[in-house]
Amino acid sequence: MTELKLGLVGFGKIARDQHLPALERNPSMELCAIASPSSTQDALPQFQSMEAMLDAMPELQAVALCVPPAVRYQLASEALARGLHVLLEKPPGATLHEVELLSRQAEAAGVTLFATWHSRFAPAVGPAREWLTGRTVRHVDVHWKEDVRVWHPGQDWIWEPGGMGVFDPGINGLSIVTAVLDHPFVLRDARLHVPENCQTPIAADLVFQAGGDTEMHAAFDFRQTGPQLWDIHVHTDDGKLTLSAGGSQMWVDGELIFEAPEREYEGIYERFAALVADNRSDVDVTPLRLVSDAFLLGRREHVDAFIE
Ligand code: NAP
């Protein structure tokens, strides 16, 4: 099997925790270099910018962009312009328009663009979709509540425009819902709780409608201490399905039906390799569209300043 020569761009928390080990285990990927302004590591050639990396290593065929969303468009566009395949961390961009432009650019260049949603690769997502097929959904509740100080230490970009605040994790919950249900959820109401010293919400309460009586409520909160919640409850006319622990477990009416070890990033790189081999792209902006609508329609309510 020919390995795809890949450069990692942005060597922060997710690149170290997930991309690096997943790439090590994937026989169809060869991680050749890293570009990040100030992070350091010893094992691979390292550059302070993607441009310097691509100039020095013309043999690279793909990049994985693990940078914050606000800086992603320029990097992705530059990589596509040089004929590289591009993997985007979630969310795929800071705006919908950016992602649409990248999609068109990738198509014109004949290269692969993969907008990843890692939570969709959680093990119980497929079984949940199967279980829900043919059942009538009455109500969906999403609880995505985590302690920002534990999971995003020192990530000041989250609080800046384009950083999305609590939607940075919340969009993962929405990426699962929109993968297991085909319902056309439309935002009806959004309350965004914005710390007085930040540009983005620390918590959000959303109400969506999906035709008829089907409603979805989503509660995102970065101020969660104690047990962390990444749960989705789907109430149907034939029982209640719960996806918990970010999509690792599936429960039906309180009984654990399915559980498997997490291997989201292994799944992501397997899919990337398959897309490149088939000369296809995969860019679904549905979760970003829902978040974008929350920023368009949401009522802002100021809350206490956030001090890390
Ligand atoms: P992070 O720890 O702040 O890392 C971001 C990295 O991007 C930093 O290492 C930074 O470089 C680098 N960077 C910034 N601008 C750059 C540029 N122009 N060129 C190259 N590198 C640049 O953030 P993260 O948690 O890894 O998150 C990154 C993305 O992954 C976000 O979109 C996030 O939603 C997504 N994600 C995060 C998690 C998670 O659990 N943290 C999970 C899944 C997905 P230096 O440090 O070198 O200055």
Side-chain angles (χ1 to χ4, degrees):
M1 187 184 298
T2 320
E3 292 182 332
L4 191 73
K5 295 184 185 308
L6 179 134
L8 261 187
V9 183
F11 197 54
K13 185 168 185 341
I14 198 62
R16 289 166 198 269
D17 290 358
Q18 296 287 352
H19 288 258
L20 217 50
L23 282 163
E24 272 164 17
R25 287 195 282 268
N26 188 317
S28 54
M29 297 279 155
E30 182 189 352
L31 176 59
C32 301
I34 285 170
S36 207
S38 51
S39 309
T40 53
Q41 51 78 47
D42 297 327
L44 289 162
Q46 175 150 353
F47 301 87
Q48 283 180 341
S49 71
M50 185 188 78
E51 191 184 14
M53 177 177 79
L54 298 185
D55 285 346
M57 301 185 71
E59 67 272 30
L60 289 178
Q61 299 164 291
V63 286
L65 301 185
C66 309
V67 297
V71 298
R72 200 166 300 146
Y73 172 73
Q74 292 298 341
L75 295 168
S77 182
E78 169 69 16
L80 293 172
R82 290 181 184 235
L84 278 84
H85 306 290
V86 174
L87 180 152
L88 302 170
E89 250 300 350
K90 50 65 46 171
T95 69
L96 288 165
H97 191 218
E98 286 179 358
V99 186
E100 193 183 305
L101 290 177
L102 292 177
S103 241
R104 284 193 223 147
Q105 196 185 339
E107 195 179 343
V111 293
T112 294
L113 179 67
F114 182 22
T116 62
W117 297 106
H118 66 87
S119 293
R120 288 183 173 176
F121 289 85
V125 170
R129 182 173 172 85
E130 214 170 291
W131 189 88
L132 287 165
T133 301
R135 288 185 161 89
T136 303
V137 175
R138 301 280 181 219
H139 191 90
V140 182
D141 277 312
V142 182
H143 301 280
W144 227 257
K145 301 186 178 188
E146 64 182 44
D147 186 341
V148 67
R149 293 180 174 87
V150 171
W151 300 101
H152 304 275
Q155 293 182 355
D156 296 339
W157 57 265
I158 277 197
W159 304 111
E160 295 297 327
M164 298 193 189
V166 76
F167 288 100
D168 179 73
I171 202 169
N172 298 334
L174 297 177
S175 78
I176 294 180
V177 172
T178 52
V180 298
L181 295 173
D182 294 326
H183 294 59
F185 288 106
V186 176
L187 186 75
R188 288 287 173 236
D189 187 56
R191 274 157 212 272
L192 311 181
H193 308 279
V194 184
E196 57 193 19
N197 61 342
C198 297
Q199 295 292 322
T200 56
I202 196 164
D205 297 302
L206 314 171
V207 180
F208 298 89
Q209 191 115 32
D213 294 334
T214 307
E215 270 204 351
M216 171 163 72
H217 288 199
F220 303 153
D221 206 323
F222 255 159
R223 299 165 298 191
Q224 179 83 355
T225 52
Q228 306 287 288
L229 288 182
W230 300 287
D231 295 346
I232 296 165
H233 305 282
V234 186
H235 303 262
T236 77
D237 58 352
D238 183 31
K240 174 181 144 188
L241 175 136
T242 297
L243 274 169
S244 66
S248 316
Q249 298 174 348
M250 171 174 141
W251 302 70
V252 173
D253 292 332
E255 189 186 338
L256 183 61
I257 300 292
F258 180 88
E259 183 177 25
E262 189 270 297
R263 58 183 305 280
E264 295 177 1
Y265 282 79
E266 281 85 344
I268 281 179
Y269 278 103
E270 284 160 14
R271 172 116 178 103
F272 189 40
L275 288 169
V276 171
D278 292 350
N279 196 22
R280 285 190 301 127
S281 288
D282 177 353
V283 183
D284 176 18
V285 294
T286 311
L288 182 60
R289 193 181 298 287
L290 298 181
V291 167
S292 185
D293 286 353
F295 277 99
L296 281 172
L297 288 182
R299 272 170 215 284
R300 269 81 175 161
E301 291 168 10
H302 274 125
V303 296
D304 290 348
F306 174 73
I307 314 287
E308 189 167 355

